Amino acid sequence: MRAAITTASREVAVRDLEPPGAPRPGEVLLRPLAVGICGSDVHLYDGDDAALSGSARGLPRVQGHEIGAEVMHDPSGRLAVGERVAVWPLLSCGSCHMCAAGAVNACLELSIIGVHRDGGLAEQIMVPGSQVVRLGAVSDVVAALVEPLSVGVHAVARSGVGEGDRAVVFGGGAVGQGICLALADRGADVLLVDPARARAEAGALWGASTTTDTDRERLRERVLDRTDGRGADAVLEATGIPAVLDTALDVVRVGGTVVVVGLGSASGPVHPGTIAAKELRILGSSCCTGEEFALAAEMAGRWATELDRLPVLRHPLEGSGGALATAHHAPDVVKVLVDVAVPSTVEPRPEESV
């Protein structure tokens, strides 16, 4: 089978590998169809170990953890051949204190498919059956978007936002769009901020107000105008840029919540006095639980028409290196995808721009 292997920092080779063979009990053999390129994939590709826990042991690696696939063989019979599925890529130890508390997404021995073990940029992949979530008749693009949507579901759960609350989201990539969708699903009022017009305007799919103006003072005034002078109940930061986090502290209301989702190894100025004076809750958000991944799959089915309208850029498997190299430099799209295989079942909907 063909697979794209990140052999070293910023080096990708497409090679023939031995296929996984027949699945053992508890395993499922999948054919990846479309695989999303995430910011964490780019960090691993760039050799930025500080941005991604455990990535120093990651290379060489078949990357890809945002996997939309179809079933080739499930010995248990739960999943039919050709069924469209998404893969929850987190494998936890089940015994550390975080797992015991139910926070398997923060497991101390966390292993991620596509980071710590080979992932979806291959024509076949074997995964534990527990990680496979069935989907309905959705496109391969929507199937690949379930994983970033699940990150948004978890972040919004962390925020505590409910119906009628006012939220600001920084970053209009796939995770930021997933956050906006999950907020819309809760009935929140949302402002999405991204300097790239295509990404900002995509937020309108979920009913979000949008802006490309990131000037701190003008943005603060806009948020105050939208919130009767209070500030946002919650701000969710999905860029990984330290200066944006400081702006988030500025536009959130007194007693509000800031959820940090974006990954990055860079440091920058943050005003800790703002945190104290406003009595803010600052929360980190990493990946999601299995229940949240299942919820994201269900939401993807309900919002499939809108998700299919997101602007995406698709590369063939042979272009995986280019997809990884340019994913951070594609402001006109929400997601860069790799088409690993031609789907043999559900026909994808035509791609559209917002």
Side-chain angles (χ1 to χ4, degrees):
M1 68 173 187
R2 301 287 282 169
I5 306 169
T6 303
T7 56
S9 176
R10 303 189 66 81
E11 294 182 9
V12 175
V14 179
R15 297 174 178 169
D16 287 312
L17 299 179
E18 286 294 320
R24 297 171 296 185
E27 295 179 329
V28 177
L29 181 63
L30 302 177
R31 176 183 289 112
L33 299 175
V35 175
I37 301 300
C38 173
S40 58
D41 292 314
V42 177
H43 287 306
L44 178 56
Y45 168 78
D46 283 340
D48 187 3
D49 299 336
L52 191 61
S53 176
S55 62
R57 66 179 190 271
L59 300 181
R61 178 68 61 225
V62 176
Q63 290 190 244
H65 65 274
E66 299 179 354
I67 305 168
E70 64 181 18
V71 176
M72 297 183 70
H73 182 37
D74 177 8
S76 74
R78 179 175 72 92
L79 300 166
V81 173
E83 190 167 358
R84 189 64 50 93
V85 297
V87 177
W88 180 40
L90 274 62
L91 301 169
S92 57
C93 72
S95 58
C96 70
H97 75 274
M98 294 304 294
C99 287
V104 296
N105 56 301
C107 170
L108 301 184
E109 299 295 330
L110 188 66
S111 178
I112 302 175
I113 295 169
V115 177
H116 308 111
R117 60 162 62 189
D118 286 346
L121 293 179
E123 291 175 326
Q124 297 181 25
I125 183 174
M126 193 83 73
V127 300
S130 59
Q131 309 306 115
V132 180
V133 176
R134 57 164 36 104
L135 304 171
V138 300
S139 70
D140 53 329
V141 172
V142 172
L145 288 170
V146 170
E147 198 281 335
L149 174 55
S150 74
V151 177
V153 168
H154 180 66
V156 171
R158 295 279 285 161
S159 76
V161 167
E163 185 172 1
D165 286 340
R166 279 94 175 258
V168 175
V169 178
F170 285 98
V175 168
Q177 300 296 337
I179 292 170
C180 290
L181 191 160
L183 287 167
D185 218 50
R186 289 189 171 210
D189 179 83
V190 182
L191 173 65
L192 172 62
V193 184
D194 194 297
R197 183 165 300 279
R199 293 184 177 190
E201 292 181 348
L205 290 167
W206 337 111
S209 298
T210 65
T211 183
T212 58
D213 188 354
T214 59
D215 178 82
R216 182 168 180 156
E217 289 305 316
R218 289 195 297 269
L219 185 59
R220 182 175 182 274
E221 289 303 314
R222 177 165 183 167
V223 172
L224 290 175
D225 286 344
R226 289 174 55 85
T227 59
D228 303 318
R230 297 176 62 200
D233 296 301
V235 180
L236 298 99
E237 199 294 301
T239 72
I241 301 171
V244 176
L245 175 58
D246 203 43
T247 301
L249 303 180
D250 197 29
V251 301
V252 70
R253 67 168 172 82
V254 174
T257 300
V258 175
V259 181
V260 182
V261 188
L263 294 176
S265 59
S267 60
V270 172
H271 293 78
T274 304
I275 301 172
K278 286 187 169 182
E279 289 208 332
L280 300 178
R281 291 198 315 151
I282 311 297
L283 302 174
S285 182
S286 177
C287 304
C288 73
T289 66
E291 292 80 6
E292 289 165 335
F293 194 87
L295 175 58
E298 184 271 328
M299 290 173 61
R302 285 192 285 112
W303 292 84
T305 299
E306 291 81 5
L307 287 165
D308 266 321
R309 293 180 60 197
L310 287 173
V312 300
L313 178 62
R314 305 177 75 159
H315 292 256
L317 180 63
E318 291 73 16
S320 296
L324 286 159
T326 61
H328 269 179
H329 311 286
D332 293 333
V333 299
V334 164
K335 175 58 66 177
V336 174
L337 293 163
V338 174
D339 289 312
V340 180
V342 177
S344 63
T345 54
V346 181
E347 290 298 321
R349 297 176 177 87
E351 295 177 24
E352 300 180 27
S353 295
V354 175

